[in-house]
């Protein structure tokens, strides 16, 4: 029998716990001087209720939420996004991606498919280096994932209060929007975060002044007395202990190095509810599982890694949504804009655009750096000996190609995709990018979507609505032919690409930085994101996705961190594991 006083105390505690989950009681404005510290200041040994590996798009939301009811350590291998103009200002987007230095917040990697790509190496992860578009997943996607739609909506709103804005649509973006509607991508849905067929204006993480707001801003929701963030902390391994009675191995801590190479141990406090959570992204999370002994036995053995759990699905199901684009020089000035408008077509291809002054010499420098790195690191990749640049575009003064040019880019992203690849370790060094293959267009359904998307882009370029931004006598076909001469990837070019949209898609494929998979739900983790075969370990990030959510995934990845953080705390406070 429970006494009335104890029952009252229980009710009060439960209500208080619910309030913690909904309304943060504490906050500290970025850049978090009281709890974000360089890992060189970390003690040799620390103890926490939760250890979150990766302060990226999901990890920041997750850690902020968990801190509202427990003590949390967040380990991030990069630094703060604040104070770096290439991150914080919209005009620095391209320069950020072009930075190939060892400390770049946008770490370059090149897939075996010959496509340049990047992964975040900074607090805020991909949200600190991307093009900023903010759009929710469809209701059908939410249902398929088994998420609670009401709680999902609340989690999206929690994120949006800190980082999402309605963009100011100017002439170039308006022309693309009107062109999409003109060629039949209807209806026009106005401004909305929702995923709706037709053309819409989506959200952006750039505010009206052009300043970027990243997932790191979500740490303003954290309780500063219950969270510690160590920067430049590179996790080497998740530690496990074998439970008595033949039970599954249980995660009990992690080992990480600071920037000076000093080793530190972070342990979980005593308690069955305490956990390590991997939020290192679609490259980092499967890589860290393998380095910790969870992965395909043959691969682990080849690198001399102790096999804790033979899990052949780790690193499988890697996908990158293919992007193909058309570069459109403009006879009139265009605004600096990243993604603001999207056409969500019925054939599952998404049409988007960006614009601004551009120097082709800048592209040459990028190509030179990327090619140099490819020669050094990609043994299986045959790097072309020359990278050509356009000698001319019909209807355009060739001198424009050697001076700053007003121009834009209209692109399409294939939804899904259906094509999948795999990830493999290169070494036991967590700083070294793993080897990844995405198998772009391996599934013919993806290729067909690309073809339909490129046809739609051509129609938009030649539409009446867009005519102001197209040079007279310049056709969409001539602009596509020019794309075949740009150094946008390291793939071979085929003569047939100028007459075959299928070959054009294959030859000019790029990334839209929406790669995912490697720790998929139902294959590596369960629907509560617990890793199969062990206890005390979850993976909560884009590596768990089978398909990319919505037009652009960052909103959903942030939402997932909040959503699962609430669920974990709710289970913790309920006193029982479900």
């Amino acid at each position: 029998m429970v006494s009335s006083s104890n029952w009252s105390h229980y009710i009060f505690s439960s209500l208080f716990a619910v309030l913690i989950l909904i309304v943060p009681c504490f906050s500290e404005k970025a850049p978090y001087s009281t709890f974000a510290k360089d890992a060189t200041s970390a003690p040799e040994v620390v103890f926490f209720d939760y250890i979150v590996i990766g302060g990226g798009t999901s990890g920041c939301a997750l850690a902020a939420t968990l801190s509202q009811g427990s003590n949390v350590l967040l380990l991030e291998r990069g630094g703060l996004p604040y104070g770096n103009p290439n991150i914080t200002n919209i005009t620095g987007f391209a320069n950020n991606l072009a930075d190939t230095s060892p400390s770049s917040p946008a770490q370059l990697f090149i897939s075996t498919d010959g496509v340049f790509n990047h992964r975040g190496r900074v607090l805020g992860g991909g949200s600190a280096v991307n093009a900023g578009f903010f759009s929710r997943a469809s209701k059908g996607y939410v249902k398929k994932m088994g998420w609670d739609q009401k709680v999902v909506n609340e989690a999206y709103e929690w994120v949006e209060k800190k980082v999402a804005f309605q963009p100011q649509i100017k002439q170039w973006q308006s022309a693309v929007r009107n062109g999409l509607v003109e060629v039949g991508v209807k209806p026009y849905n106005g401004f909305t975060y929702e995923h709706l067929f037709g053309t819409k204006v989506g959200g952006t993480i750039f505010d009206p002044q052009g300043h970027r707001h990243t997932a790191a801003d979500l740490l303003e929701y954290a309780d500063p007395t219950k969270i510690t963030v160590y920067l430049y902390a590179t996790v080497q391994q998740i530690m496990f202990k074998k439970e008595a009675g033949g039970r599954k191995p249980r995660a009990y801590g992690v080992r990480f190095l600071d920037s000076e190479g000093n080793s530190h141990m972070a342990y979980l406090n005593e308690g069955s509810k305490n956990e390590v959570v991997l939020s290192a992204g679609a490259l980092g999370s499967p890589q860290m599982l393998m380095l910790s002994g969870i992965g395909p036995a043959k691969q682990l053995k080849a690198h001399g890694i102790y096999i804790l759990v033979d899990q052949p699905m780790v690193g499988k199901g890697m996908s990158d949504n293919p992007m193909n684009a058309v570069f459109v020089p403009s006879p009139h000035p265009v605004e600096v804009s990243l993604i603001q408008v999207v056409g969500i077509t019925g054939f599952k291809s998404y049409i988007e655009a960006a614009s601004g002054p551009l120097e082709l010499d800048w592209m040459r420098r990028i190509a030179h750096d990327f090619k140099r790195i490819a020669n050094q690191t990609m043994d299986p990749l045959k790097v072309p000996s020359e990278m050509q640049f356009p000698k001319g575009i019909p209807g355009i003064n060739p001198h424009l190609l050697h001076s700053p040019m007003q121009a834009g880019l209209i692109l399409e992203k294939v939804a899904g995709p259906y094509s999948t690849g795999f990830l493999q370790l290169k070494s036991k060094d967590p700083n070294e990018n793993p080897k990844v293959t995405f198998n772009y267009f391996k599934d013919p359904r993806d290729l067909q979507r690309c073809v339909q998307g490129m046809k739609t882009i051509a129609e938009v370029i030649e539409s009446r609505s867009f005519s102001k931004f197209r040079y007279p006598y310049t056709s969409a076909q001539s602009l596509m032919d020019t794309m075949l001469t740009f150094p946008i990837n390291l793939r071979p070019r085929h003569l047939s690409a100028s007459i075959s949209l299928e070959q054009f898609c294959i030859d000019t494929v790029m990334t839209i930085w929406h790669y995912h998979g490697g720790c998929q739900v139902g294959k590596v983790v369960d629907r509560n994101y617990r890793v199969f075969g062990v206890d005390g370990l979850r993976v909560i990030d884009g590596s768990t996705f089978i398909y990319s959510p919505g037009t652009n995934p960052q909103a959903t990845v942030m939402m997932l961190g909040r959503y699962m953080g609430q669920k974990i705390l709710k289970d913790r406070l309920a006193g029982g594991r479900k």
Side-chain angles (χ1 to χ4, degrees):
M1 202 60 189
V2 180
S3 69
S4 59
S5 60
N6 286 341
W7 181 251
S8 298
H9 176 74
Y10 174 78
I11 293 294
F12 175 81
S13 299
S14 298
L15 289 172
F16 183 71
V18 171
L19 288 173
I20 285 177
L21 294 177
I22 298 173
V23 183
C25 302
F26 304 92
S27 66
E28 179 181 329
K29 293 294 182 183
Y32 319 117
S33 58
T34 67
F35 64 79
K37 307 169 184 177
D38 193 296
T40 53
S41 67
E44 288 187 17
V45 177
V46 291
F47 291 85
F48 289 86
D49 298 331
Y50 293 98
I51 301 169
V52 179
I53 302 172
T57 315
S58 177
C60 287
L62 175 68
T65 301
L66 291 176
S67 76
Q68 293 160 20
S70 55
N71 293 312
V72 180
L73 173 63
L74 179 60
L75 298 171
E76 167 53 44
R77 68 194 184 108
L80 292 171
Y82 311 105
N84 182 339
N86 285 343
I87 293 176
T88 56
N89 297 328
I90 193 170
T91 55
F93 168 71
N95 289 333
N96 207 16
L97 296 182
D99 181 2
T100 59
S101 68
S103 61
S104 171
Q107 183 181 6
L108 173 69
F109 71 95
I110 306 170
S111 70
T112 63
D113 313 277
V115 174
F116 304 126
N117 215 317
H118 300 83
R119 58 190 295 210
R121 182 168 46 194
V122 60
L123 193 69
S127 69
V129 300
N130 65 19
F133 196 59
F134 191 99
S135 184
R136 297 183 179 188
S138 68
K139 288 180 170 56
Y141 188 97
V142 171
K143 184 177 181 180
K144 191 171 184 178
M145 293 300 293
W147 299 331
D148 183 306
Q149 184 70 64
K150 181 177 181 294
V151 181
V152 163
N153 290 343
E154 291 170 351
Y156 274 128
E157 291 167 4
W158 181 87
V159 171
E160 288 156 6
K161 287 176 183 177
K162 288 289 184 184
V163 305
F165 303 87
Q166 180 174 350
Q168 299 173 325
I169 303 298
K170 297 183 179 179
Q171 291 187 350
W172 170 272
Q173 292 284 343
S174 294
V176 173
R177 176 196 62 195
N178 296 341
L180 283 165
V181 175
E182 180 183 330
V183 304
V185 186
K186 298 177 180 178
Y188 174 56
N189 295 304
F191 167 71
T192 178
Y193 293 132
E194 299 297 336
H195 185 91
L196 304 172
F197 284 107
T199 297
K200 73 166 189 173
V201 175
T204 178
I205 60 174
F206 290 97
D207 65 24
Q209 289 72 46
H211 298 148
R212 181 192 295 270
H213 294 258
T214 76
D217 292 10
L218 300 176
L219 291 171
E220 292 183 357
Y221 284 122
D223 181 343
T225 68
K226 292 185 177 180
I227 188 171
T228 299
V229 178
Y230 285 135
L231 305 167
Y232 305 108
T234 303
V235 174
Q236 304 294 299
Q237 187 180 18
I238 303 167
M239 312 300 291
F240 294 88
K241 59 184 176 183
K242 292 288 185 70
E243 298 283 357
R247 295 177 60 191
K248 293 183 288 187
R250 182 172 189 85
Y252 70 91
V254 305
R255 182 171 66 87
F256 66 95
L257 299 183
D258 62 32
S259 58
E260 295 179 356
N262 300 312
S263 182
H264 305 261
M265 292 298 302
Y267 294 110
L268 294 175
N269 287 323
E270 288 294 328
S272 62
K273 292 295 182 179
N274 299 333
E275 295 177 317
V276 175
V277 186
L278 254 177
S279 293
L283 261 63
S285 287
Q287 180 186 29
M288 184 49 57
L289 285 182
M290 292 184 193
L291 292 177
S292 303
I294 303 172
K298 184 177 179 181
Q299 191 178 156
L300 301 186
K301 187 176 180 181
H303 289 281
I305 298 172
Y306 171 75
I307 302 168
L308 184 75
V309 178
D310 179 8
Q311 171 46 290
M313 298 310 296
V314 173
K316 298 296 193 300
M318 296 295 300
S319 293
D320 186 24
N321 297 82
M323 180 181 83
N324 293 80
V326 179
F327 174 76
V328 187
S330 170
H332 298 285
V334 297
E335 70 269 17
V336 174
S337 72
L338 293 176
I339 311 302
Q340 297 177 340
V341 170
V342 62
I344 301 175
T345 69
F347 54 83
K348 302 294 181 67
S349 180
Y350 308 135
I351 315 297
E352 304 174 349
S355 61
L358 178 69
E359 282 191 63
L360 293 187
D361 282 345
W362 170 83
M363 291 185 68
R364 181 178 287 107
R365 291 196 300 274
I366 292 176
H368 179 269
D369 281 350
F370 285 9
K371 180 184 174 185
R372 172 180 52 80
I373 292 172
N375 273 317
Q376 293 172 350
T377 63
M378 299 299 293
D379 293 336
L381 192 66
K382 293 183 179 179
V383 182
S385 59
E386 294 183 1
M387 289 183 167
Q388 295 180 313
F389 281 80
K391 296 180 174 63
I393 302 174
I396 300 175
N397 185 332
H399 295 296
L400 289 174
L401 298 177
H402 304 287
S403 60
M405 177 187 292
Q406 298 290 330
L409 201 69
I410 304 179
L411 60 93
E412 63 93 26
K413 165 189 171 177
V414 172
Y418 288 110
S419 303
T420 63
F422 53 90
L423 176 149
Q424 297 173 307
L425 289 180
K426 277 190 185 177
S427 73
K428 295 168 69 172
D429 182 1
N431 289 304
E432 184 172 13
N433 288 319
K435 176 182 174 182
V436 61
T437 300
F438 292 118
N439 287 326
Y440 297 102
F441 302 122
K442 182 178 181 180
D443 190 301
R445 291 173 291 183
D446 294 333
L447 189 57
Q448 188 55 42
R449 287 178 176 180
C450 178
V451 168
Q452 290 179 281
M454 295 313 300
K455 287 179 178 178
T456 303
I457 288 176
E459 291 173 355
V460 170
I461 291 171
E462 296 181 350
S463 69
R464 178 183 53 80
S465 300
F466 193 75
S467 59
K468 176 182 177 180
F469 296 105
R470 184 183 72 252
Y471 276 92
Y473 313 113
T474 300
S475 67
Q477 182 62 55
S478 68
L479 295 174
M480 289 187 190
D481 290 344
T482 301
M483 288 301 297
L484 292 166
T485 68
F486 280 126
I488 54 179
N489 60 36
L490 298 177
R491 295 163 76 88
R493 299 288 188 269
H494 299 83
L495 291 175
S496 60
S498 63
I499 57 174
S500 165
L501 281 178
E502 287 85 354
Q503 195 63 55
F504 176 89
C505 286
I506 293 168
D507 287 4
T508 65
V509 66
M510 295 176 279
T511 184
I512 197 167
W513 302 285
H514 297 170
Y515 54 90
H516 52 279
C519 299
Q520 292 177 319
V521 171
K523 299 178 181 179
V524 176
V525 299
D526 65 19
R527 285 198 172 257
N528 287 313
Y529 299 88
R530 297 188 179 100
V531 176
F532 291 131
V534 297
D535 284 328
L537 178 63
R538 303 192 201 220
V539 180
I540 301 175
D541 59 23
S543 71
T544 63
F545 295 155
I546 295 175
Y547 297 113
S548 180
T551 59
N552 297 63
Q554 73 165 338
T556 302
V557 178
M558 291 189 222
M559 179 282 295
L560 179 62
R562 170 62 174 175
Y563 181 91
M564 284 306 301
Q566 288 182 289
K567 183 175 177 60
I568 291 169
L569 276 190
K570 183 179 178 181
D571 289 350
R572 181 186 188 89
L573 293 166
R577 179 167 175 166
K578 297 182 180 179

